[in-house]
Amino acid sequence: QVLERRDVQSVAKYINERGARRFIVMTGAGISTSAGIPDFRSPDTGLYANLAHLGLPHPEAMFDINFFRENPQPFYALARELYPGRYRPTIAHCFIKLLYDKGRLLKLFTQNIDCLEREAGLPGEMIIDAHGSFASQHCIDCQSFYPPDLMRKAVEKGDVPHCHMPNCNGIVKPDIVFFGERLPEEFFLNRHLPAAADLCIVMGTSLSVWPFAGLPALCKDGVPRVLINQERVGGLGSRPDDVLLLGGCDAGVRQLAQALGWLEELEALWEQ
Ligand code: OAD
């Protein structure tokens, strides 16, 4: 066992005394709920618990390409909600930026499509958008690229954008990974990084979607894995150097930052 105890103080001691600086952070929708964006699977507040309101036959239809082809409205209702620019990053997003500022971040793997990590100032090259993003979009029929300014206009108006190529008129879809679609190449190109990490932080994800859910297991034994989440997930806690900070992500990052002596800097970053 590398940590003295399985608590936040021991993690801070490990970071400071060993000079750990190859952190891998893995995130999901739970880091954005305090910004006002619902997650997917929380029992009352999650998107999947509010299907009737969204007009979906079953939860995963939201990200099902066949359903989307027939009825893209529910997805575009969500897109309008989530479209970058409407929400402010949480202190949990700022914590990842702080790790980067301190030269400790090896890579962030995120499942989120809200772009709040970028909004918090994290450079694009530090982020693996494992489930894609709203940064680009293509026609689902002819695969043509669709211009971002037209996309923004359509989403803001609540319209479903259609391909502008002659004789096509297919539905345009942001390059977000739907069920059954392959994750972006950058996910696979960077999948070796968890094995090179000296610390792993998993925040705000139920770890229920694969292959993302397999990432924490790629960290080597003896590398502390910290879970900051409302509930225990993905078998974290099963290794001697796993530390569980169960509760809110914002409270968890504040606790960790305080133990590291970084709380004031973190709050300042968040208030900017
Ligand atoms: P989920 O909704 O599955 O899980 C969110 C997790 O965060 C749950 O374990 C919650 O308990 C926890 N949580 C929520 N709010 C929290 C808070 N304020 N503090 C701490 N924990 C909190 O979301 P993801 O794991 O991101 O796929 O879902 C994974 C994928 O499933 C998504 O990327 C999406 C969805 O289908 C696509 O978009 C393709």
Side-chain angles (χ1 to χ4, degrees):
Q1 188 168 345
V2 170
L3 297 179
E4 273 173 23
R5 290 181 310 276
R6 297 170 70 157
D7 61 15
V8 73
Q9 280 73 27
S10 302
V11 175
K13 200 167 171 206
Y14 165 86
I15 293 172
N16 285 332
E17 290 183 1
R18 303 259 187 135
R21 50 181 54 255
R22 296 169 67 80
F23 298 7
I24 290 284
V25 180
M26 302 165 187
T27 58
I31 68 163
S32 296
T33 52
S34 71
I37 303 173
D39 68 4
F40 296 92
R41 296 179 181 79
S42 280
D44 298 319
T45 53
L47 281 171
Y48 293 165
N50 291 285
L51 302 181
H53 154 73
L54 293 164
L56 293 171
H58 61 90
E60 273 86 15
M62 173 73 84
F63 298 110
D64 178 315
I65 194 72
N66 296 319
F67 179 79
F68 177 82
R69 200 174 274 282
E70 276 169 33
N71 183 7
Q73 293 288 355
F75 172 81
Y76 273 102
L78 174 73
R80 196 176 178 201
E81 268 298 300
L82 288 189
Y83 210 63
R86 296 189 57 171
Y87 296 92
R88 205 180 151 232
T90 67
I91 200 160
H93 294 98
C94 295
F95 181 70
I96 308 169
K97 169 67 162 53
L98 184 65
L99 296 180
Y100 169 72
D101 289 347
K102 291 190 172 289
R104 310 262 179 169
L105 185 66
L106 185 55
K107 209 64 103 178
L108 164 71
F109 286 81
T110 183
Q111 298 166 92
N112 296 346
I113 52 176
D114 54 33
C115 292
L116 288 183
E117 302 89 352
R118 280 181 180 74
E119 206 116 323
L122 200 62
E125 73 262 19
M126 297 308 296
I127 307 172
I128 305 301
D129 292 304
H131 291 167
S133 79
F134 283 107
S136 57
Q137 49 279 322
H138 289 86
C139 168
I140 60 170
D141 290 333
C142 75
Q143 314 305 327
S144 297
F145 181 75
Y146 188 75
D149 49 327
L150 294 183
M151 182 69 182
R152 176 169 284 276
K153 275 190 200 138
V155 172
E156 278 168 2
K157 275 172 64 189
D159 290 347
V160 174
H162 284 82
C163 185
H164 60 322
M165 296 311 258
N167 309 320
C168 181
N169 204 38
I171 302 168
V172 172
K173 176 177 101 43
D175 296 335
I176 286 165
V177 179
F178 276 31
F179 286 108
E181 288 187 312
R182 190 177 155 82
L183 271 56
E185 211 43 45
E186 57 165 11
F187 176 84
F188 299 100
L189 291 175
N190 287 279
R191 205 160 46 162
H192 63 286
L193 290 178
D198 52 20
L199 185 83
C200 169
I201 300 175
V202 179
M203 291 199 279
T205 173
S206 62
L207 286 181
S208 47
V209 174
W210 293 78
F212 192 98
L215 291 176
L218 300 177
C219 295
K220 296 220 164 92
D221 281 330
V223 168
R225 300 185 304 177
V226 181
L227 174 69
I228 304 177
N229 206 52
Q230 215 69 261
E231 51 178 353
R232 189 179 163 193
V233 295
L236 283 149
S238 59
R239 292 189 189 172
D241 292 300
D242 287 352
V243 173
L244 306 181
L245 296 182
L246 299 185
C249 290
D250 295 346
V253 299
R254 281 192 166 104
Q255 235 183 303
L256 185 51
Q258 174 144 43
L260 285 160
W262 301 349
L263 186 56
E264 266 180 42
E265 272 172 279
L266 177 62
E267 297 284 355
L269 199 57
W270 190 51
E271 276 157 24
Q272 260 175 28

